[in-house]
Amino acid sequence: VYISPKAQSSGYGRQIYKVLEARAKEFGYTHLCLNTHKFLTKGCAFWKRHGYIEFYDMLDEWHTIWLSKELV
């Protein structure tokens, strides 16, 4: 999920995320997992605010990290 810098802080990301999580629960998923990059600081902060926890750092040139969240 990427929100244009012009649209950031508009609530669009939060709205998209709420629908995504609700649909995942409807389909019976118990966890969501994603990857992002450490240099995308706003994105990392967004996911962490929504309960995602970093569980793996790939230590690659792209600074890729994996985050997950248990759906309750």
Side-chain angles (χ1 to χ4, degrees):
V1 176
Y2 177 80
I3 302 295
S4 163
K6 290 181 181 180
Q8 290 175 2
S9 299
S10 65
Y12 292 137
R14 186 174 49 253
Q15 290 173 354
I16 292 168
Y17 172 70
K18 284 183 178 185
V19 170
L20 179 117
E21 186 174 290
R23 295 292 292 165
K25 288 179 183 179
E26 287 174 16
F27 282 110
Y29 289 99
T30 58
H31 288 82
L32 290 177
C33 181
L34 62 94
N35 70 13
T36 189
H37 307 284
K38 288 182 183 180
F39 58 84
L40 298 173
T41 55
K42 287 184 180 181
C44 290
F46 175 86
W47 294 116
K48 289 178 180 180
R49 270 195 317 275
H50 287 89
Y52 282 78
I53 298 170
E54 182 179 335
F55 71 90
Y56 184 70
D57 185 335
M58 294 186 65
L59 303 173
D60 63 357
E61 67 273 10
W62 291 99
H63 303 277
T64 306
I65 57 172
W66 284 88
L67 301 109
S68 71
K69 178 182 179 180
E70 184 174 352
L71 300 176
V72 288

